[in-house]
């Protein structure tokens, strides 16, 4: 809402020294968001005067029409002689009054005016358009032509009100009253402690039987309809300069006198109005719901098909307007430039249901100044005053006659009353205001207040947003000043720290960062086509997703069931920007729909929900386990003087899983597997106990191609919650033995298909308690020496006792037991 300071001063006697910035500070303190203060004409400097065109000479021989004019500017040029000016506009004639800027002046934007030679003539100044003066569009798209009675030589800066300050206010959805000068003036009056000259306080005649006939068939959609008639308007009458300038300052374009007056009153009082050409309205004006399939051509020239829920204004022919949104073209007021202008008008000032108007405006994608106000709440009691104000202006400016008939259809309703304890604002704000302050502030916003400890508050008609006691408390608090509320930091209870889950989450992030991974959080949304790109089976549980009703992106309407698609996107973007050696990780929730779908109960707001209610709500939500995932591409170790480096591969992804498992205190078993996006034969299945908690390895080439990833990209994904449940994160102090270690190496020959993990598990179990560590240090394949389909796995076994030095026989016996069990379980034999 744009509010000119000059217009605001008409209703609030602000101190003359108050600037727009001062008023902005006051209104912001009162809770209105004043975004900017625009200084109109700040860099404008005269002489800028009214001139009368004396002669016009058409200059020929140029690519565009050029005119050489002489203009009488009175004594403004110091000589009284006609001013010679070259001009290219063609919307003025000899005898017209125009705005002339003389040499030495400066126009908005720092454009200095001086005499200069152009098109073979010397131009001593300019004949100005509205755009050149920073006035905005006046509908002429050319030179400003002033009324004939305007005095020659008069200062045009004062005449056109070019110097002003305009407050641009971002009005919130609940403060429809502030979409008017009246509403903002009321807030300014409260902020300054000054009286308000309410423009809606007019003498309004009561309804009678002589008014224009109106029939309201839907009293819920329209609870008030006022109709007034004005006849004998002069078709040639134009909006005066002051009216046009005020409309331009608030951001509206002048159109014609009747339309400009209705727009002016709407901006002044906040009540949308509509003027019908009486000669085009046939019969009784009605208000009803549209019939399905009815059509109307609105003022914007669009033929619209109506919905059964649309509220429409009708006459005998059918719809003549979308109620509260836009009028119809078949009763449009004629422009003053037309040969047969409008002389008789019917003024509509009505109050419509906010929800109905909002839905109609959105259904037809037709937001108007009227619909914006009805959606946010319009004062129903202002309709009669707005109609009277419109009638008065039309009579004054267009020479019309107000008919005695007044139509007012009203659905009776009681004012809204709220019972509130006098100390309730104190409890909400934590400040002791006292009853007198509470009553005074509520009365300032227009409430009637009665009672002592329990206040009975009647809400004013212009504040439909005041519905319950906390709304009243907010009014008191904002007017007393949010900045005056004390800042009290909450005291957390002692002895509480992070939960086990939070600690694990942080440790996993730190250990992966320490291993060279960079965290890359991603949005939790995906499109279902990624499951085909991940090569998941048709019955894979990850294909079952939770879909959003109103997604941010229509192409990604589902919540993720895997972290990999988001990480793939991050890897692709970084690789495309020149970062080819990448190691990324993410920890986050995935969303798995439950087998039984439940509807969440609405929790109470007047008390803390019970544990049972919270549990019921949780049961209606999808399962949300926390996962951890990594992706790698490019070099894992850089080449340099220290060595050749090496590329990232599947083993790095597996090692990342082991690192995470160690932080969770879980024993992770790595074995061969095959799943979705991973390459067959290069996919590790990650197991804790008997549960598969994830996979790691090199991605399938088809997946790499589908996601646009670098070749040989590797990835890992783990269920972090499953690791937490199986693990023990109790800190374990390292044990340092004073006795020496005994090392035994063993090489076992097994079939190629036997996983190293199975061999290692058998060795570990067979070696018993003396085994301190085991490491695979060599894999050897040679058909001539080992046989077809065989491989050799060489392990280093470390034995140590905590209470003695082991003998060679003890270490050898432990080694032999380990080899024996490995042979029994995997068919391994000692390599000769």
């Amino acid at each position: 809402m744009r509010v000119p300071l000059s217009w605001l001063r008409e209703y609030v006697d602000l101190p003359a020294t108050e600037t727009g910035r001062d008023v902005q500070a006051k209104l912001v303190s009162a809770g209105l968001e004043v975004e900017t203060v625009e200084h109109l004409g700040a860099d404008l400097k005269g002489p800028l005067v009214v001139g009368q065109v004396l002669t016009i000479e058409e200059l020929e021989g140029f690519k565009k029409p050029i005119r050489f004019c002489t203009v009488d500017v009175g004594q403004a040029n110091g000589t009284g002689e006609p001013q010679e000016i070259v001009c290219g506009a063609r919307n003025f004639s000899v005898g017209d009054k125009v705005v002339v800027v003389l040499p030495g002046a400066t126009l908005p934007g720092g454009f200095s005016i001086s005499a200069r030679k152009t098109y073979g003539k010397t131009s001593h100044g300019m004949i100005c358009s509205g755009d050149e003066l920073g006035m905005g569009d006046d509908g002429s798209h050319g030179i400003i032509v002033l009324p004939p009675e305007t005095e020659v030589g008069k200062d045009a800066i004062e005449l056109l009100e070019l110097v002003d300050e305009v407050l641009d206010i971002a009005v919130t959805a609940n403060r429809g009253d502030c979409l008017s000068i009246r509403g903002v003036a009321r807030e300014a009056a409260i902020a300054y402690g000054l009286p308000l000259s309410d423009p809606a306080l007019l003498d309004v005649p009561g309804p009678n039987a002589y008014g224009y006939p109106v029939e309201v068939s839907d009293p819920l959609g329209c609870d008030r309809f006022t109709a007034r008639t004005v006849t004998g308007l002069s078709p040639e009458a134009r909006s005066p300069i002051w009216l046009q300038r005020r409309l331009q300052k608030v951001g509206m374009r002048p159109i014609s006198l009747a339309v400009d007056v209705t727009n002016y009153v709407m901006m002044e009082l906040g009540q949308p109005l509509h003027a019908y050409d009486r000669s085009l309205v046939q019969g009784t004006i009605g208000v009803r719901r549209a019939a399905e399939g009815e059509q109307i051509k609105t003022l914007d020239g669009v033929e619209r098909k109506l919905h059964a829920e649309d509220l429409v204004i009708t006459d005998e022919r059918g719809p003549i307007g979308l109620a509260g949104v836009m009028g119809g073209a078949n009763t449009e007021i004629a422009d003053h430039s037309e040969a047969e202008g409008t002389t008789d008008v019917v003024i509509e000032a009505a109050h419509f249901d906010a929800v109905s108007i909002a839905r109609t405006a959105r259904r037809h994608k037709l937001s108007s100044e009227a619909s914006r106000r009805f959606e946010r709440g319009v004062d129903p009691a202002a309709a009669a005053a707005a109609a009277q104000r419109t009638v008065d202006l039309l009579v004054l400016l267009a020479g019309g006659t107000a008919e005695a008939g007044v139509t007012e259809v009203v659905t009776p309703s009681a004012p809204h009353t709220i019972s509130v304890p006098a100390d309730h604002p104190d409890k909400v704000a934590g400040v002791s205001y006292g009853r007198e302050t509470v009553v005074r502030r509520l009365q300032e916003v227009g409430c009637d207040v009665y009672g002592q400890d329990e206040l009975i508050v009647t809400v004013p008609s212009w504040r439909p947003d005041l519905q319950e006691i906390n709304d009243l408390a907010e009014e008191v608090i904002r007017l007393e000043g949010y900045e005056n509320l004390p800042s009290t930091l909450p005291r957390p209870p002692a002895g509480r720290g992070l939960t086990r889950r939070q600690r694990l989450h942080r440790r996993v992030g730190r250990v992966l960062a320490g291993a060279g991974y960079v965290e890359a959080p991603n949005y939790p949304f995906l499109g279902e086509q990624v499951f085909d790109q991940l090569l998941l089976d048709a019955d894979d549980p990850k294909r079952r997703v939770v879909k959003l009703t109103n997604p941010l992106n229509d192409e990604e309407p589902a919540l993720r069931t895997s972290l990999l698609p988001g990480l793939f996107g991050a890897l692709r973007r970084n690789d495309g920007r020149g970062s080819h050696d990448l190691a990324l990780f993410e920890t986050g929730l995935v969303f798995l729909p439950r087998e039984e779908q439940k509807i969440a109960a609405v929790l109470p707001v007047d008390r803390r929900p019970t544990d049972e209610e919270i549990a019921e709500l949780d049961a209606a939500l999808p399962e949300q386990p926390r996962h951890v995932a990594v992706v790698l591409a490019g070099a894992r170790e850089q080449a340099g003087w220290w060595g050749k480096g090496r590329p990232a591969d599947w083993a790095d992804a597996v090692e990342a899983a082991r690192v995470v498992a160690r932080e969770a205190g879980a024993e992770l078993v790595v074995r061969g597997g095959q799943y979705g996006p991973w390459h067959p034969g290069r996919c590790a299945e990650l197991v804790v106990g008997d549960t598969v908690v994830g996979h790691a390895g090199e991605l399938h080439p088809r997946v790499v191609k589908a996601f646009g990833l670098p070749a040989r990209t590797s990835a890992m994904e783990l269920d972090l919650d499953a690791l937490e449940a199986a693990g023990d994160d109790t800190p374990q102090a390292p044990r340092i033995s004073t006795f020496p270690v005994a090392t035994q190496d063993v090489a076992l020959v097994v079939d190629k298909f036997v996983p190293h993990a199975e061999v290692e598990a058998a060795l570990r179990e067979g070696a018993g308690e003396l085994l301190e560590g085991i490491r695979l240090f060599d894999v050897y394949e040679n058909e001539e020496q080992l046989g077809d389909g065989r491989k050799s796995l060489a392990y280093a076994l470390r034995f140590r006792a905590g209470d003695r030095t082991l003998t060679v026989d003890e270490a050898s016996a432990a080694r032999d037991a380990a080899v024996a069990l490995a042979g029994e379980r995997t068919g391994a034999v000692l390599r000769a």
Side-chain angles (χ1 to χ4, degrees), residues 623-636:
E623 295 182 14
Q624 301 175 57
R626 186 178 298 276
H627 280 202
V628 58
V630 305
V631 292
L632 306 100
R636 185 64 176 142

Side-chain angles (χ1 to χ4, degrees), residues 2 14 170 245 247 271 301 355 357 424 428 460 566 650 652 666 757:
R2 290 171 57 84
L14 298 174
R245 287 296 296 134
L247 289 177
Q271 168 65 53
V355 174
I357 300 306
H424 182 68
V428 173
W650 62 269
D652 295 300

Side-chain angles (χ1 to χ4, degrees), residues 115-199:
R116 64 189 185 95
K117 189 170 183 178
T118 179
Y119 296 104
K121 300 286 186 178
T122 300
S123 181
H124 299 273
M126 285 176 53
I127 301 175
C128 296
S129 67
D131 287 337
E132 290 166 338
L133 297 179
M135 295 170 57
D137 183 16
D138 61 358
S140 66
H141 304 290
I143 294 302
I144 301 171
V145 179
L146 301 171
E149 64 273 12
T150 309
E151 178 186 351
V152 172
K154 183 178 178 65
D155 183 5
I157 295 179
E158 180 182 353
L159 175 69
L160 299 177
E161 302 178 13
L162 296 178
V163 178
D164 202 351
E165 292 181 279
V166 179
L167 309 177
D168 194 350
I169 303 175
V171 179
T172 54
N174 66 317
R175 292 302 303 273
D177 61 305
C178 289
L179 287 175
S180 66
I181 304 297
R182 178 196 183 201
V184 177
R186 183 180 292 106
E187 291 296 316
I190 296 172
Y192 279 93
L194 297 171
L196 170 69
S197 299
D198 193 344

Side-chain angles (χ1 to χ4, degrees), residues 22-34 169 172 174-175 177-178 183-193 441 444-445 463 474-484:
D22 298 329
V23 177
Q24 177 189 27
K26 285 284 190 180
L27 293 179
V28 168
S29 179
L32 290 186
E33 186 180 351
V34 184
I169 303 175
T172 54
N174 66 317
R175 292 302 303 273
D177 61 305
C178 289
V184 177
R186 183 180 292 106
E187 291 296 316
I190 296 172
Y192 279 93
R441 289 304 190 184
E444 285 177 345
V445 299
R463 291 299 302 274
E474 182 183 5
E475 291 300 297
V476 175
I477 295 169
R478 75 176 180 88
L479 294 178
E480 284 296 304
Y482 290 118
E483 68 277 8
N484 295 324

Side-chain angles (χ1 to χ4, degrees), residues 509-519 581-585 631-632 635-636:
R510 283 196 295 264
V511 73
L512 288 176
Y517 291 85
V518 176
E519 188 171 13
D581 303 324
L582 295 162
L584 308 179
F585 84 93
V631 292
L632 306 100
R636 185 64 176 142

Side-chain angles (χ1 to χ4, degrees), residues 419-736:
S419 177
V420 54
D423 61 349
H424 182 68
D426 301 4
K427 295 178 179 178
V428 173
V431 176
S432 180
Y433 292 122
R435 179 187 177 280
E436 291 185 2
T437 299
V438 172
V439 172
R440 174 172 57 84
R441 289 304 190 184
L442 292 178
Q443 289 175 339
E444 285 177 345
V445 299
C447 297
D448 290 331
V449 185
Y450 302 96
Q452 291 299 318
D453 294 337
E454 190 74 17
L455 303 179
I456 306 300
V457 181
T458 302
V459 174
S461 58
W462 58 82
R463 291 299 302 274
D465 59 305
L466 302 182
Q467 293 293 320
E468 47 104 15
I469 60 175
N470 286 324
D471 296 331
L472 300 180
E474 182 183 5
E475 291 300 297
V476 175
I477 295 169
R478 75 176 180 88
L479 294 178
E480 284 296 304
Y482 290 118
E483 68 277 8
N484 295 324
L485 293 177
S487 298
T488 305
L489 293 177
R491 294 183 178 181
R496 291 188 181 181
L498 299 177
T499 65
R500 182 188 178 196
R501 190 175 193 229
Q502 290 170 330
R503 290 196 302 270
L504 175 60
H505 182 207
R506 293 194 178 188
R507 289 204 312 273
V508 167
R510 283 196 295 264
V511 73
L512 288 176
Y517 291 85
V518 176
E519 188 171 13
N522 296 284
Y523 287 117
F525 312 116
L526 52 76
E528 292 182 84
Q529 73 280 357
V530 301
F531 299 130
D532 294 329
Q533 297 172 333
L534 289 173
L535 306 182
L536 298 184
D537 295 336
D539 59 348
D540 193 294
K542 289 187 177 180
R543 285 184 176 268
R544 295 185 62 244
V545 295
V546 178
K547 290 187 178 180
L548 302 176
T549 303
N550 187 23
L552 295 178
N553 184 350
D554 291 338
E555 295 181 357
E556 297 181 337
L559 292 174
R560 67 189 178 190
T561 57
S562 169
L563 302 183
L564 292 181
L567 280 176
F568 290 167
L571 183 72
R572 181 179 61 251
R573 286 190 298 274
N574 284 276
D575 182 69
R577 287 164 173 77
S579 298
H580 303 302
D581 303 324
L582 295 162
L584 308 179
F585 84 93
E586 180 180 8
T587 56
L589 302 180
V590 297
F591 305 86
L592 310 175
R594 299 180 187 271
E595 293 295 334
E596 181 183 356
Q597 297 295 325
K598 297 182 179 180
I599 298 177
V602 178
L603 296 182
V605 296
D606 58 340
R607 59 175 174 81
R608 185 190 184 280
T610 64
D611 293 341
E612 292 76 13
E613 289 172 331
I614 295 176
E616 184 179 354
L617 178 63
D618 288 339
L621 298 176
E623 295 182 14
Q624 301 175 57
R626 186 178 298 276
H627 280 202
V628 58
V630 305
V631 292
L632 306 100
R636 185 64 176 142
E637 296 178 2
Q638 296 290 335
W641 57 266
W642 53 85
K644 296 181 180 180
R646 69 173 182 86
D649 60 18
W650 62 269
D652 295 300
V654 173
E655 181 58 25
R658 287 196 173 101
V659 167
V660 172
R662 282 196 294 270
E663 287 300 317
E667 184 177 349
L668 188 71
V669 176
V670 179
R671 66 191 186 195
Q674 185 172 340
Y675 180 70
W678 281 278
H679 193 299
R682 299 174 189 171
C683 173
E685 192 173 68
L686 309 175
V687 181
V688 172
D690 296 327
T691 305
V692 177
V693 295
H695 295 83
E698 184 179 318
L699 294 178
H700 196 291
R702 286 166 56 190
V703 174
V704 169
K705 182 178 180 181
F707 285 94
L709 305 178
R712 308 301 293 270
T713 298
S714 298
M716 177 277 292
E717 184 169 12
L718 269 175
D719 185 337
L720 198 53
D721 284 354
L723 282 180
E724 179 189 357
D728 180 8
D729 61 353
T730 303
Q732 299 293 330
R735 292 189 303 170
I736 302 176

